[in-house]
Amino acid sequence: MKSTSKSAGLFLVCGTTNGFGKAVAEKLISNNYSVLGIARGKEELEKIQSTYPNQFEYVAGDLSKKETTEKISKQSEGRFINGIFINAGGPPAKTIEETSMEDWDQAYETLLRWKVDLVKNSYLSLNLRAMDEFSFWKAPLLSNLLKTLSLAPP
């Protein structure tokens, strides 16, 4: 179900069911923006949608899985995306001595790869001028990555 907020465009907010993601989604909604929330917890997403039926829609799924980023692309296709709040995952909760290379391979899959996929799939719908105001573009790792992918704003 697509939101019907009067605001122009849409914000994609990852990790919407708790913590920073939930706080960002609520702040955007309180400022009359539409939000496409993404998280694994479908029941919690449904609760948020019932609270904000005209401004909130969701995709339930694991962001590290290609099928989830494809659902996001399909649901946001042809729509003006104001911004993306990428917020999910963390490094292995181990010391460097305790980690294996398999841990780091898995961390790449769960921490970085899906973020690149999400940005690539959403790129044509992004309002780059609006995005420049957000720290997303200013984060050195993502900024360098976007330049490498030729996705960084001019």
Side-chain angles (χ1 to χ4, degrees), residues 59-79:
V59 169
D62 182 340
L63 281 162
S64 68
K65 306 294 184 201
K66 179 79 173 161
E67 54 269 15
T68 302
T69 56
E70 288 172 351
K71 285 180 191 176
I72 295 164
S73 293
K74 184 177 179 180
Q75 192 157 336
S76 61
E77 186 176 6
R79 297 170 71 190

Side-chain angles (χ1 to χ4, degrees), residues 88-109:
K94 301 176 182 180
T95 66
I96 191 73
E97 295 88 12
E98 295 170 329
T99 59
S100 67
M101 288 312 295
E102 289 79 23
D103 291 329
W104 290 105
D105 290 340
Q106 183 180 7
Y108 167 76
E109 286 289 323

Side-chain angles (χ1 to χ4, degrees), residues 12-15 38 62-66 68-70 72-73 83-92 106-123 126 131 136-137 139 141-143 145-146 149 151:
L12 308 184
V13 179
C14 302
I38 304 118
D62 182 340
L63 281 162
S64 68
K65 306 294 184 201
K66 179 79 173 161
T68 302
T69 56
E70 288 172 351
I72 295 164
S73 293
I84 304 174
F85 183 73
I86 295 180
N87 169 57
Q106 183 180 7
Y108 167 76
E109 286 289 323
T110 59
L111 297 176
L112 184 61
R113 191 175 191 289
W114 67 265
K115 294 170 184 170
V116 173
D117 190 39
L118 179 62
V119 170
K120 283 185 69 168
N121 287 330
S122 303
Y123 178 71
L126 287 170
M131 287 295 291
F136 172 81
W137 291 115
L141 173 65
L142 287 176
S143 180
L145 179 63
L146 292 170
L149 297 170
L151 297 177

